[in-house]
Amino acid sequence: LQNEQDITVTRPEWVSSSDLNAQVVGANWVWTPSARWSNELKFGWNRFWQKIVTADSNVPPAGYGINTGVTDPANFGMPTIIIGGFNNPTLGGNRSWPLFTTPNETFQIADNISYTRGKHTFRFGGEFRHGSTDNLRDRSGKTRVRFEGAQAFSTADCNDTTLGQCSTPLEDFLAGFPSRGDLFFGDSRRHVTIKSFGAFVQDDWRIHPRFTAFLGVRYEFNGVIKESRNRLGNFDPAVGLQQVGINIDKPYDNDGNNFAPRVGFSYDVFGTGNTVLRGGFGMTYEIPHLATFLGQNGANNATTPGLNVIPTGAIGSNIAGTIEAAGVNVNPALLNWSAAGPVFGATLGGTLDCTVSACNILGVKKDLKTPYVLSWNINLQHAFGPNSSLQIGYVGQRGNKLYSIRDINQFDPVAGTCPFCATYPFLGVINFLENRYGMSYNGLQTTFTQRAWKGFEFVAGYTWSHAIDQASLNRAQQPQNSNRPDLEWGNSDLDIRHRFTLTSTYNLPERKGSWGQLLEGWQMTSIVTLQTGTPWNVIDGVLNGNDISGTGEFSDRWNFVGNASEFKPATPGSPINYLAGAAAAADPLCSANAQAGQLLAFGCYRVGNSVLVPPDPNTFGTMSRNIFRGPGLRNWDFSVIKNWKYHERLGIQLRAEFFNVLNNRHLASPAASIFFFVDPSDPSTFGCRCATPDVGAANPVIGTGGPRNIQLGLKFRF
């Protein structure tokens, strides 16, 4: 059982609690019936059982004096309450829970055969995978209420203090006038499975003593996700809601055209064996993750679970389905934030009604394709004597038909409508999974290897690279403008331009026959890592947001003018320079790049001759994705090892390992933190390097960048 603070909260009762256990079993059998034939059979099985809830999951809402109307014990706990301007921390825990995978299982069987004849080595084989999950996820199951301002009172244009006034989010909270609410309705428990199959054939052909060619092809077939009771659905823009077993036989079609050719070569340039040129090209298809279809974490606007909770059984559905489960974005007029409550009483009457509060869904393109990556490389390796070698190479990758997510029902604030408002008025957010995204990677890689020389050996590597994409995760942030996802091209979240590593091992000189082998078996190892920082994106809406675009997506970026390198991430107590209200409107650089009303309402960030300013109302920011760069990493890990040997088959090893041995202070990039320091709507934390990488990723001590950590270990070898 593990408790962790995966979002910033005000009380320990609201941290997240994870109860998990895992088992892994593997077996490998190699059979060599003759010198020409070899067969390897592999079997693997893993089981992952986990429940993630908030620590107060045993407390009903009434225990806090709040009547939300929630009666399912799985959704107990303090509701999430967000007050604009106080978005770090929130009241209540993470709205993403509860999440049950009880269990998640995968088993795999593979068989690879090798046959040698003349100048050819043939390899062929196949594998079968079966994945399943017993899944429950009720995003906003505890309910969520947001106070964003202008609900208790407003006059004229309340975003412009020269024209009128509007109530603040805190005043709305005290007065009991929320701006919106979210809840999960129904039972999301599903038992989902997916199968995949792969087969390959390859020929390693030694055409010449100095030249070898590698030719092969692999075929992948991924099945479609299935649910044991047909409780899966989809959305077709031309038809509406659909459910497996009622008006479709599967959520989307199989993609059976997944052939992946692979070719490579190895050439001994001078015939001496000291200089070798290698190159290759390959195509790799992705094996889909079940989680991709069961919910989208990065969708900011609303709770958008997956195909497992398409609300075909709701009032308003266009078919006579049976699934009564969905995330609901509740209009503030339906919320009763008073002592009498219940807060969500108008929508928890026993039957899911999408005509009262439009239901939010995830749809999948009917002819969804399998994403694939093209990879190519060429490298030259030269040996300097028997113990040293240098390798220089170029590596490239191109991702195609990668999964993308966008709201195809995005609201247009100018027209005052959305694409499917008239056709399907019972639907709100329609997040749609397609194949619109791509990625590219280009890298120069150099490696110098020194093998054992007087007990000392090391490997030094340097990489210069550039990674570009539209999204860096399968369940990534929604695009700022769902009608223009192509504008998301930018530096990848994982883009590291420069990286140097040095790993070394030194076996100390020995004196045989020493008492108890005291002067034998000593070894020291070292790992040095130097790398530049990763990018960080600016999103007005990670936790609260201003919705300047008026779309309700809360994925807005601002306008940036100037040199992005001037905007350095802030350190605790030293935030990025922020000008509020009248000060922003009076600044010549801020006022030259933004409307006065917007500056008065949202302020301006200025560093040197560069500014970050809010866009005009009902427009999107012009700033590209991931233009700012976080801090680099300098780390040294060190270990001392002592080995004792007793006979041929028995030994003992004692290890002392020192991580971050110099105890350097490593603060993470703002984007590397779960605490959401990339939101300009909160000047007190915007751009803050407020956590080490391990803490920022909710992985203290075990993750990279924490304080010095010393670990002792004892290993028996037999």
Side-chain angles (χ1 to χ4, degrees):
L1 182 66
Q2 174 184 350
N3 289 338
E4 64 179 34
Q5 184 173 307
D6 53 359
I7 65 170
T8 306
V9 295
T10 56
R11 297 186 58 85
E13 294 94 331
W14 301 332
V15 300
S16 295
S17 178
S18 174
D19 184 8
L20 65 91
N21 59 72
Q23 298 88 35
V24 178
V25 175
N28 190 39
W29 179 47
V30 178
W31 179 45
T32 308
S34 68
R36 291 187 174 184
W37 288 93
S38 177
N39 186 84
E40 181 180 23
L41 180 64
K42 295 184 291 185
F43 172 80
W45 173 81
N46 66 72
R47 182 181 187 272
F48 182 80
W49 187 100
Q50 183 178 40
K51 283 188 176 182
I52 307 179
V53 295
T54 52
D56 66 343
S57 62
N58 61 336
V59 180
Y64 290 104
I66 301 174
N67 182 2
T68 60
V70 173
T71 58
D72 185 351
N75 295 323
F76 279 0
M78 175 76 173
T80 302
I81 301 173
I82 298 176
I83 305 171
F86 297 87
N87 56 342
N88 260 326
T90 66
L91 300 175
N94 193 328
R95 75 182 183 102
S96 296
W97 318 136
L99 169 60
F100 299 166
T101 50
T102 53
N104 192 329
E105 293 181 296
T106 301
F107 76 79
Q108 172 192 10
I109 184 168
D111 190 61
N112 300 323
I113 301 171
S114 176
Y115 172 64
T116 303
R117 184 177 182 86
K119 297 181 179 181
H120 298 268
T121 298
F122 299 100
R123 309 176 196 275
F124 51 94
E127 67 174 318
F128 173 77
R129 292 173 181 254
H130 180 276
S132 66
T133 182
D134 191 350
N135 183 273
L136 177 147
R137 186 164 197 170
D138 296 348
R139 286 184 179 84
S140 295
K142 297 184 295 294
T143 72
R144 180 176 69 157
V145 185
R146 300 173 63 138
F147 296 87
E148 300 167 359
Q151 297 298 314
F153 61 85
S154 62
T155 60
D157 185 355
C158 66
N159 287 327
D160 188 340
T161 57
T162 64
L163 299 178
Q165 294 181 333
C166 60
S167 55
T168 66
L170 181 58
E171 289 173 326
D172 283 358
F173 172 71
L174 295 175
F177 288 94
S179 300
R180 55 178 289 189
D182 300 296
L183 71 133
F184 188 89
F185 189 100
D187 179 12
S188 69
R189 185 177 294 277
R190 303 288 184 267
H191 184 262
V192 180
T193 60
I194 191 169
K195 298 179 176 66
S196 62
F197 169 81
F200 76 95
V201 59
Q202 179 175 318
D203 179 15
D204 301 348
W205 181 14
R206 193 174 181 84
I207 300 174
H208 186 274
R210 292 167 53 186
F211 187 85
T212 301
F214 308 94
L215 306 171
V217 64
R218 182 179 177 89
Y219 176 73
E220 298 278 1
F221 181 81
N222 297 309
V224 174
I225 60 170
K226 296 182 179 180
E227 204 277 328
S228 59
R229 296 173 294 176
N230 279 342
R231 293 190 176 182
L232 293 177
N234 200 359
F235 173 79
D236 185 332
V239 177
L241 297 185
Q242 300 178 313
Q243 183 175 332
V244 175
I246 293 182
N247 60 343
I248 54 174
D249 60 350
K250 53 190 173 184
Y252 53 92
D253 295 331
N254 292 104
D255 181 11
N257 189 31
N258 298 335
F259 290 93
R262 299 177 186 183
V263 60
F265 71 91
S266 175
Y267 176 55
D268 184 351
V269 179
F270 302 110
T272 61
N274 291 329
T275 305
V276 180
L277 180 67
R278 300 182 181 91
F281 169 84
M283 188 174 180
T284 304
Y285 283 92
E286 178 180 337
I287 296 177
H289 300 279
L290 285 170
T292 302
F293 304 100
L294 300 181
Q296 290 293 321
N297 284 344
N300 255 356
N301 174 48
T303 55
T304 49
L307 304 184
N308 49 327
V309 287
I310 296 293
T312 59
I315 295 176
S317 170
N318 58 288
I319 66 169
T322 60
I323 302 175
E324 286 196 16
V328 180
N329 180 10
V330 184
N331 187 290
L334 301 176
L335 300 178
N336 179 20
W337 187 258
S338 68
V343 180
F344 292 90
T347 56
L348 290 176
T351 302
L352 177 59
D353 189 345
C354 290
T355 62
V356 174
S357 299
C359 293
N360 305 305
I361 64 169
L362 173 74
V364 175
K365 189 177 181 181
K366 183 66 174 176
D367 60 341
L368 190 71
K369 304 301 182 184
T370 306
Y372 65 91
V373 176
L374 303 176
S375 303
W376 56 93
N377 70 85
I378 187 166
N379 64 79
L380 182 68
Q381 184 180 48
H382 180 73
F384 301 93
N387 296 320
S388 304
S389 65
L390 174 66
Q391 180 172 303
I392 301 176
Y394 160 71
V395 176
Q397 286 189 330
R398 175 74 184 184
N400 296 277
K401 299 181 180 179
L402 304 185
Y403 291 140
S404 60
I405 183 77
R406 66 188 183 101
D407 181 8
I408 60 174
N409 202 31
Q410 177 177 284
F411 181 74
D412 184 342
V414 177
T417 185
C418 48
F420 298 103
C421 286
T423 311
Y424 310 111
F426 52 90
L427 295 180
V429 173
I430 305 176
N431 280 328
F432 211 58
L433 185 67
E434 302 169 295
N435 298 106
R436 285 175 170 258
Y437 283 171
M439 59 79 65
S440 70
Y441 172 87
N442 292 279
L444 173 67
Q445 302 176 352
T446 61
T447 305
F448 186 82
T449 303
Q450 173 64 56
R451 298 172 184 85
W453 177 72
K454 295 185 178 181
F456 180 71
E457 57 184 284
F458 71 87
V459 177
Y462 167 75
T463 299
W464 176 91
S465 64
H466 189 195
I468 306 173
D469 57 28
Q470 291 161 285
S472 301
L473 298 169
N474 275 345
R475 297 189 293 172
Q477 179 73 33
Q478 277 180 306
Q480 174 182 226
N481 181 359
S482 285
N483 297 323
R484 292 294 308 275
D486 55 298
L487 297 179
E488 296 300 299
W489 272 108
N491 296 317
S492 170
D493 296 352
L494 309 176
D495 179 42
I496 299 175
R497 295 296 177 88
H498 303 275
R499 178 179 172 88
F500 173 80
T501 58
L502 175 64
T503 62
S504 59
T505 301
Y506 181 51
N507 296 299
L508 276 67
E510 297 182 343
R511 178 170 293 183
K512 298 292 185 181
S514 59
W515 179 81
Q517 301 182 17
L518 186 62
L519 301 180
E520 301 177 45
W522 286 95
Q523 184 182 77
M524 294 187 297
T525 66
S526 171
I527 303 176
V528 175
T529 302
L530 306 173
Q531 68 182 43
T532 54
T534 54
W536 57 284
N537 196 19
V538 174
I539 308 165
D540 187 348
V542 174
L543 247 178
N544 185 31
N546 295 302
D547 190 28
I548 296 176
S549 68
T551 61
E553 302 290 345
F554 293 93
S555 294
D556 296 341
R557 291 192 288 270
W558 285 20
N559 295 340
F560 180 79
V561 179
N563 184 357
S565 63
E566 288 192 303
F567 266 63
K568 304 292 185 184
T571 54
S574 179
I576 295 175
N577 184 42
Y578 174 73
L579 302 175
D587 184 89
L589 191 58
C590 295
S591 60
N593 291 284
Q595 290 183 3
Q598 295 296 88
L599 293 174
L600 290 169
F602 306 114
C604 165
Y605 292 88
R606 175 172 180 175
V607 180
N609 293 317
S610 301
V611 292
L612 181 66
V613 294
D616 296 343
N618 299 332
T619 66
F620 297 103
T622 59
M623 180 174 57
S624 300
R625 172 174 159 264
N626 278 345
I627 65 171
F628 299 134
R629 185 70 58 166
L633 175 69
R634 296 177 297 170
N635 189 66
W636 179 29
D637 299 331
F638 181 78
S639 67
V640 178
I641 301 170
K642 175 65 175 78
N643 293 297
W644 286 274
K645 292 189 66 175
Y646 299 96
H647 308 294
E648 289 291 329
R649 299 184 179 180
L650 180 63
I652 299 176
Q653 183 183 87
L654 178 66
R655 304 175 64 94
E657 299 172 320
F658 304 83
F659 301 94
N660 190 8
V661 64
L662 298 180
N663 203 29
N664 285 330
R665 187 190 189 201
H666 296 128
L667 293 177
S669 168
S673 177
I674 56 172
F675 303 120
F676 311 118
F677 299 135
V678 295
D679 193 338
S681 66
D682 186 353
S684 65
T685 63
F686 171 65
C688 183
R689 300 164 56 196
C690 292
T692 57
D694 59 330
V695 173
N699 196 19
V701 180
I702 300 175
T704 301
R708 182 190 298 121
N709 181 39
I710 302 174
Q711 176 176 286
L712 300 177
L714 183 65
K715 181 186 293 185
F716 293 92
R717 293 177 170 178
F718 60 91

